[in-house]
Amino acid sequence: LHAPSLCDRPGARSGLPPQRGQVPRRALFVPRQPVQCPGSACRYLGLHASGEAAPVGLFGRNTGYDRKRILADAERARSAGRSRRAVFLYRQVLAAEPNNLELHARIAPLLAKTGERFDAWQSYRRAGDGLLEAKKPDEALRFYREACERLPRQVEAWLQLARLERSRGRHAEARQALLTGRKQFRARGRRPEAIALLKAAREIEPWDAESVL
């Protein structure tokens, strides 16, 4: 003896209409439909708004990209003096928005503070050049001054600062910036940078004794 299966029921294969109390075969197979739910509910269920499963990381945590939350956490970390945490969070957004000049301006001083000088200069440069392209030379000048203060051994920062000062007609300030920067490269291995700064100062004032020497 065996329990009757669905196929053993009357009309299952014959195409006859089901008898009273009999469940139609096609009613047992319902096609899957995409789940629609509001955003808050989807986040709770681990779904995107489309109804598809959201990316899940270790221990089942939702790893979806939430820009607003990440930036808010980064600002809190920066205000609390947790520079490395702030850098980590800002980099998540920069990975998606590599040309976001405002984020480069925020992360640059933090990178300098945490000792990542190369990346700090790249962010300073991108933000400064972006301000120049936006026709904001005074803001770019202020930004490059900050770069020289926080990255005193970045020769390109001093050279760019001097170029901007000269473009604004402030030749004396440009020369002084180059001479100030030259003092940061007194070590034997940094003499090429010091010479480059002195040469740039001599272009501004060829007969100045300090730049000639």
Side-chain angles (χ1 to χ4, degrees), residues 152-191:
R153 290 181 176 80
Q154 182 61 53
V155 65
E156 294 180 18
W158 294 104
L159 290 170
Q160 182 64 6
L161 175 60
R163 293 189 196 102
L164 288 177
E165 294 282 19
R166 292 186 70 179
S167 69
R168 306 293 288 170
R170 294 193 280 259
H171 298 282
E173 288 82 353
R175 172 183 164 277
Q176 186 58 48
L178 292 166
L179 295 178
T180 301
R182 186 261 305 178
K183 297 177 182 178
Q184 306 297 326
F185 301 95
R186 292 178 174 175
R188 184 183 298 274
R190 309 304 297 268
R191 285 182 180 176

Side-chain angles (χ1 to χ4, degrees), residues 12-163:
R13 294 185 178 179
S14 63
L16 298 175
Q19 300 177 3
R20 180 179 298 180
Q22 181 180 357
V23 180
R25 179 179 176 84
R26 62 177 178 276
L28 299 177
F29 299 92
V30 180
R32 298 182 61 186
Q33 299 292 333
V35 180
Q36 298 295 332
C37 61
S40 58
C42 286
R43 285 194 296 272
Y44 179 78
L45 296 172
L47 300 173
H48 286 308
S50 64
E52 298 179 358
V56 177
L58 191 62
F59 306 119
R61 294 178 180 175
N62 191 325
T63 59
Y65 176 71
D66 189 340
R67 181 183 189 276
K68 185 176 180 180
R69 177 186 59 79
I70 294 173
L71 287 176
D73 291 346
E75 284 299 308
R76 282 193 291 269
R78 184 169 69 96
S79 300
R82 301 172 61 194
S83 300
R84 295 188 184 279
R85 173 65 176 170
V87 165
F88 171 76
L89 293 169
Y90 280 135
R91 276 176 165 161
Q92 290 186 37
V93 183
L94 278 174
E97 306 171 29
N99 297 320
N100 190 319
L101 302 181
E102 182 180 352
L103 288 181
H104 280 292
R106 292 185 192 180
I107 199 175
L110 297 174
L111 289 168
K113 185 177 181 180
T114 56
E116 298 185 61
R117 298 180 182 86
F118 177 81
D119 288 347
W121 168 241
Q122 297 305 313
S123 287
Y124 270 119
R125 181 180 57 79
R126 295 187 72 169
D129 290 351
L131 290 170
L132 289 175
E133 293 178 3
K135 309 299 182 183
K136 298 179 179 179
D138 290 334
E139 293 185 30
L141 189 62
R142 177 188 59 79
F143 209 70
Y144 277 112
R145 284 174 181 161
E146 179 182 315
C148 290
E149 293 175 3
R150 296 182 179 271
L151 303 170
R153 290 181 176 80
Q154 182 61 53
V155 65
E156 294 180 18
W158 294 104
L159 290 170
Q160 182 64 6
L161 175 60
R163 293 189 196 102

